[in-house]
Amino acid sequence: MQLKIMPKKKRLSAGRVPLILFLCQTISALEVPLDLVQPPTITHQSPKDYIIDPRENIVIQCEAKGKPPPSFSWTRNGTHFDIDKDPLVTMKPDSGTLIINIMSEGKAETYEGVYQCTARNERGAAISNNIVIRPSRSPLWTKEKLEPITLQNGQPLVLPCRPPIGLPPAIIFWMDNSFQRLPQSERVSQGLNGDLYFSNVLPEDTREDYICYARFNHTQTIQQKQPISLKVISVDELNDTIAANLSDTEFYGAKSSRERPPTFLTPEGNASHKEELRGNVLSLECIAEGLPTPLIYWIKEDGTLPTNRTVYRNFQKTLQIIQVSEADSGNYQCIAKNALGAIHHTISVTVKAAPYWIMAPQNLVLSPGEDGTLICRANGNPKPRISWLTNGVPIEIAPDDPSRRIDGDTIIFSNVQERSSAVYQCNASNEYGYLLANAFVNVLAEPPRILTSANTLYQVIANRPAFLDCAFFGSPLPTIEWFKGAKGSALHEDIYVFHENGTLEIPVAQKDNTGTYTCVARNKLGTAKNEVHVEVKDPTRIIEQPEYAVVQRGSTVSFECRVKHDHTLIATVTWLKDNGELPNDERFTVAKDHLVVTDVRDDDGGTYTCVANTTLDDVSASAVLSVVAPTPTPAPIYDVPNPPFDLELTSQLDTSVQLSWTPGDDNNSPITKFIIEYEDAMHEAGLWHHQAEVSGTQTTAQLKLSPYVNYSFRVMAENSIGRSLPSEASEQYQTKAAEPDKNPTAVEGLGSEPDNLVITWKPLNGFESNGPGLQYKVSWRQKDGDDEWTSVVVANVSKYIVSGTPTFVPYLIKVQALNVVGFAPEPAVVMGHSGEDLPMVAPGNVRVNVVNSTLAEVHWDPVPLKSIRGHLQGYRIYYWKAQSSSQRNRRHIEKKILTFQGSKTHGMLPGLEPFSHYTLNVRVVNGKGEGPASPDRAFSTPEGVPSAPSSLKIVNPTLDSLTLEWDPPSHPNGLLTEYTLKYQPINSTHELGPLIDLKIPANKTRWTLKNLNFSTRYKFYFYAQTSVGPGSQITEEAVTTVDEAMASRQVDIATQGWFIGLMCAVALLILILLIVCFIRRNKGGKYPVKEKEDAHADPEIQPMKEDDGTFGEYSDAEDHKPLKKGSRTPSDRTVKKEDSDDSLVDYGEGVNGQFNEDGSFIGQYSGKKEKEPAEGNESSEAPSPVNAMNSFV
C-alpha cells in the first residue's frame, strides 16, 4: 500500500469556501522556482515611517524578484517621481533601491515626502508600502533664566525639564556637572515627561547642578538644559533668607514641615483618560507628595493585572503593560498611601488598534482550468476597511477578468487561464494605520520537480526524531509518496509523520530505520523522485559520572567521567568549572577519563561539569566539590544537614523549570538525597506538596510543571541522621494556562423525580483546572434513541438537573471540563436513568402452599418490566392473621412484611400460628416505592400441638386428697381433645413411686385426687392434647396433710432433751459428711447422693412430634427429681411455661426479611414474638422436723 501525502487541511466552518478551492490554495506554501515565469514579489523595502539622518545619503530600499526580472518605478506624494531629472537621485542596478546623494549638495528637507515603489513585469505589478521620509531633528533648548530655588525642609518640589521637540523624541535623564546620574528613590524620581519630582525635600537635596539632558539617538547628540540650583533650609533659616534676599530669590512658601497625607503631583484631579494602540507598551504614571514619603499601589478595578505582561518601574510609580490588547481596556487605579492617609486616582484606559492581519492573502499558483481564492482578513479598532487593487490599480477601474469574482474580503477565481495571472494588493486601513499585502495569481502548467538535493545523508541519534526533506513544486499541486529500500516498501502513517511540505518525520529513530528513502512527487503532467539516506547512531552516554566530593584543604580530589559513544563518531570531553573554563593552573590535570585536582584550595570549591560532544549530540554531568578545613581536634558532631540555600529558577518553560541550589553543611554525615517540595500560592497557599527527590550529589533538578500554577519551591537535605529544615522558598513562577488534561470523575445520572435526570460528578480541584474560568460541558441523550447529544455549559458546580424527561429511561451522559483556554480530552460516556415512578401493575396469579402448621410457601407471577418504571428492588409480601370477634374492635391490624430481593417469584412465610386464618397480598418494589397490591389471598394453617397449660395450682390439701386447678393453654393451636395428668409419690429417701396416668376431659379446669397417702409428697405432670398430639407439660409438687395424733406425739418427742442432743449429733455427722463429700468432689469423685440421684431417670419420655420430627421438650432436671432436704419451690407457686417450637430467630428481619433460593429465611423475622407467661404452681411447703425425723428413722 502506498501512502499519499496531501497537504494537511485546516477545518473550515460550513459555507466558508468550497473545499476544492482550499485544496488548490495550499500550493501557496510552495516557493515558485525562479526559472519559471512568475509575477513580481517585493522581497525587501524600507519601513513605513523612515526617519533619516540628514548628515548621510538617503537610501530608500525596494527589492523584488520575478520572471522575467521586474522593472521599477517610484511615485512621490502620489505623483510619478522621475529620477532621471534629478542628478542627485540614482537607482541601484537590477534593483529598485533609490540613493539620494545629499552629502555633496542638497538638503534632506528637500526630499521629505511619501514614496512608493512599483515592481512590474509581463505577469503583473507589485507595490511597496507608502514610505514616509522624514529627517531626524535634535533642536537646542531655548535660552531661559533659571532662578535659584529655596525651599523649606519637607516640602514637595517639581523641577521642570521641558525638552525641545525632536524627531524621534529625545531620551531624558538628570545628571550633575560631573556627568553623574542623580540618585533616585521612592522620594525622588523622574516622571515620564522628564520632570524631576520630590515627594518631600531634605537638606541633602541642596545642590547647584540639577541638569536635565536630552539625548537624540538618531543623530547621536545630547542637549543640555541650564543647571537648576536648590537650597533646602529649616524654618529659621528660611526667615533669614527671606529678609536678606527677597528681592532676587524665588520663594516656594513658608509652610511648616509637619507630616501630611499624600496628594498627587501628577496626574491632576481624581480621574484621567489614557488611549493606547494595540501591541504597544501601555505606561501609566502616578507620582505623589507627602510626609512621610507615600508608597504607590496599582489595581485594575474590573479585573486583575496580567501577570506575565505587567512591569512596575520608577519605584512602583509607573505601571507598564507590554503587548497591550483590547482586553486591557478598563479603569486602573493608583493609590498613594502613607501613615496619615491615602488617596487614589482612576485612569480610564481605552485600547485602540491599527489594522492587524487575521489572514493575509498568500501567493496562489494554479494550473489552467483550476479554481482558487485569495482571502484578506484583518481586524482593528475601529474595524478596518478592506479594498482590493490589481497590479497597483484599484480593482474597480482595472480591466475586467471573467475568471474572478469579488466577495467582500475574498476574491474567487474560477476556470483560470494564463491571462488571469496578476498581482493583487489588499489594503486594510483605519484612522490609526494601514496594512498592504501583495499576493500574485500565477497560472502555470508544470510537471513535478523535487527541490531537495539528491542523495542527501541524514545522520541522527537513536531515540531522537529525524526529518527527511522533500521540497517540491508542480502545478497542479503534486501528491507525495515515500518508500523505503530498493524494493519500494510503502511507509505507513501509524509509524511515520507526513508533513504538508513533503517532509517525512521519524518520531523516534531506531537502528532499523537506517537505509535509503525515496520521495516521489506526481501530478497529471509527470513524476519526479529523489533518494535520501539515513544513518542512525548510538547516543553518547556518560557511564561513570563525577560524584559530589567533600575534601580537606591541601588534599587531592579526582572526578571520573567515562564516556561511551557511537564508534563511527569522534567524541571530545571538556571539563568546566562553574560553567566556565578550568583555571590555567598546573594543579588541574585532565586525563582520558578523569579530572584530578591536587593541593586543593578554598577557591577550588564549586561545580565541575564533564561535557562530552560529538558532531550530532552532547551530554553532560556535574558534581560539586566542597572544600573544608583539615579535621578539627574536637570530635566531630554528627547532625542533620543545614538547609540548602541560594535557590534559583532557570530554563523557565511552560511545562518545566530547572531548580538549582547550594547545599548546606552536611554536619559530618554525607547528604544522601534532596527532597523538593512546591507550594501553589494561587490555589493552596501555605500548603507544601512533594515534587521530587534527587541524589545527594545533585544540586539541580529539572521539574515538570502543571499549567496555571503559581509555583514556589523549597528543598530539604537528608543524611543518615535525618532530614534538614526546609530552605527558604524560591521566587514564584507562574505557568501559563492550558486546557484541562482530565475530566471530572464519579459521573452519575439518577433521577430525583419521575420527570428529571440529575447528573452529578466530582469536580476538578483548583490545581487540576489548568487555567481560569473552569466550567463543565454536560451532555446527554437517550441511549435507545437516535437523538443528537444535548449539551449545556455550567459553572464550576457538581450537579445539573435535566427536566422534562420520560420516566425511567436510560441516558448516555458525559461531562467534559473546559476553561478559557479550551476543552479537556473527550470524556468517557456513562449510563444513567431518569427518575423512577411507582410501579403500575400488581403481581398476578398469587398462590399459597401451606407446608406445615407454622410455614407456608407463596408463589406469584412477575410483573412486566416496563410497568415497574424503575430499578426492580424485589417483591414484598404483606400478611396478617384474621381477627377473632373479640379482636375486631381494635383499630390496628398488625401486618407482617417480608421482602424478597431481585426477581424472585416465590418465598417462604415462617413463624405462622397453627390453626389460624391468614390473609396476604404481594407488591412489586422499585427505588421509588411499592406498586399496587395484588388481590388479597386467604389461607389457613392446620392444627398443631398445644402449648403447656397456662398455670397449675394444688389447693385444699387433706389427709388423702389434693385438688388441682389449672388454666387452659394460652395457645391451644387447635381443638383440645383431653388433658393428661400423671403423678407419682416421693418417699422419705427421695425415691419416686409408681407413675399413675389419668385422662381428664378437655372442658375441665379442676380435678380432685382421692385415696392418697397422708403426709406424702406427690409430683404431678400435666399437659393438654389436640388431634395432632400432646403439648408441652407443666409440673408441680404437693404434700397431703399429717394425722393430728401422730403430729402431737412427734411434738412431744421433739421437746425431749435427749432428742435435741441426738439431733445435734446427727447435724454434726451430716456436717462432717458434707466436708468429706466436698473434698472428694474436688478430687473428681462422685458422692453417693449424686450417684443415687443419677440412678433415678424420668419415668416419662415424651414422644416425637409428628409435624416436624423434633423431640418434645423435657422439663428442667429439678422437675424430674423429688425435693431435696431443705429445698424450696417458688414462692408464687408457679412454674415456667415451655416456649414454642417455632423460633423466628432462624427466619428473618422484619420488613426486610428475605429468603434464599430454596426458601430458607435470611435475617430476622419482623413480627413481634409474643412471650408466653410461664405461670405454674409448685409446693412451697418444706418438711417439718417431724417429717425429717420420720425420714431419718
Side-chain angles (χ1 to χ4, degrees), residues 698-720:
Q698 292 184 231
T699 58
T700 62
Q702 194 73 21
L703 306 178
K704 293 184 177 180
L705 306 180
S706 295
Y708 198 58
V709 177
N710 196 4
Y711 281 99
S712 293
F713 299 96
R714 68 182 186 183
V715 183
M716 292 172 284
E718 187 173 294
N719 61 12
S720 60

Side-chain angles (χ1 to χ4, degrees), residues 21 146 182 201 247 415-416 423 426 625 650 652 696 704 717 804 877 931 961 963 966 1072 1176 1190:
L21 300 184
L146 299 177
L182 297 177
V201 295
S247 60
N415 191 25
V416 297
V423 182
C426 172
L625 172 62
T650 57
Q652 298 176 352
K704 293 184 177 180
I877 299 177
S961 68
T963 300
W966 63 88
I1072 294 171
N1190 288 338

Side-chain angles (χ1 to χ4, degrees), residues 984 992 1019-1021 1032-1037 1090 1093 1096-1100 1102 1112-1124 1128 1130 1134-1139 1178:
Q984 56 190 153
L992 298 173
K1019 185 166 186 176
F1020 299 94
Y1021 311 90
S1032 302
Q1033 66 180 9
I1034 188 171
T1035 62
E1036 183 62 279
E1037 293 184 7
K1090 176 64 178 173
E1093 290 175 353
H1096 294 288
D1098 194 336
E1100 183 68 14
Q1102 293 293 329
E1113 296 185 9
Y1114 289 93
S1115 63
D1116 188 272
E1118 294 296 331
D1119 294 334
H1120 294 282
K1121 299 176 183 178
L1123 291 173
K1124 297 176 177 60
R1128 292 288 186 267
T1134 62
V1135 296
K1136 183 178 181 181
K1137 185 178 88 80
E1138 299 298 322
D1139 290 337
E1178 290 187 2

Side-chain angles (χ1 to χ4, degrees), residues 1065-1079:
V1066 170
L1068 181 60
L1069 288 174
I1070 291 173
L1071 178 60
I1072 294 171
L1073 180 61
L1074 289 173
I1075 293 172
V1076 172
C1077 290
F1078 180 78
I1079 293 172

Side-chain angles (χ1 to χ4, degrees), residues 844-883:
N845 194 20
V846 178
R847 308 174 299 284
V848 182
N849 176 29
V850 178
V851 178
N852 56 40
S853 60
T854 61
L855 183 66
E857 183 176 15
V858 183
H859 290 262
W860 60 87
D861 291 344
V863 300
L865 289 178
K866 289 187 177 180
S867 68
I868 297 176
R869 300 200 295 180
H871 295 285
L872 175 63
Q873 303 288 331
Y875 291 87
R876 188 170 291 163
I877 299 177
Y878 285 76
Y879 64 101
W880 62 94
K881 184 179 176 183
Q883 294 182 335

Side-chain angles (χ1 to χ4, degrees), residues 1053-1093:
I1053 295 174
T1055 59
Q1056 301 300 312
W1058 62 269
F1059 179 75
I1060 295 172
L1062 179 61
M1063 293 303 296
C1064 290
V1066 170
L1068 181 60
L1069 288 174
I1070 291 173
L1071 178 60
I1072 294 171
L1073 180 61
L1074 289 173
I1075 293 172
V1076 172
C1077 290
F1078 180 78
I1079 293 172
R1080 290 187 62 191
R1081 171 168 245 176
N1082 286 344
K1083 294 182 178 181
K1086 289 187 176 181
Y1087 54 89
V1089 176
K1090 176 64 178 173
E1091 294 174 353
K1092 188 173 183 180
E1093 290 175 353

Side-chain angles (χ1 to χ4, degrees), residues 859-930:
H859 290 262
W860 60 87
D861 291 344
V863 300
L865 289 178
K866 289 187 177 180
S867 68
I868 297 176
R869 300 200 295 180
H871 295 285
L872 175 63
Q873 303 288 331
Y875 291 87
R876 188 170 291 163
I877 299 177
Y878 285 76
Y879 64 101
W880 62 94
K881 184 179 176 183
Q883 294 182 335
S884 63
S885 58
S886 62
Q887 296 173 322
R888 287 175 185 166
N889 57 353
R890 297 182 184 178
R891 293 183 179 179
H892 177 67
I893 300 176
E894 182 182 358
K895 292 185 178 182
K896 298 179 181 179
I897 305 171
L898 286 178
T899 301
F900 301 89
Q901 285 189 338
S903 57
K904 293 179 183 288
T905 57
H906 65 89
M908 307 295 288
L909 300 184
L912 303 177
E913 294 184 14
F915 201 59
S916 300
H917 297 290
Y918 281 90
T919 304
L920 64 79
N921 59 49
V922 185
R923 313 176 191 204
V924 66
V925 182
N926 64 13
K928 187 73 173 178
E930 298 176 351

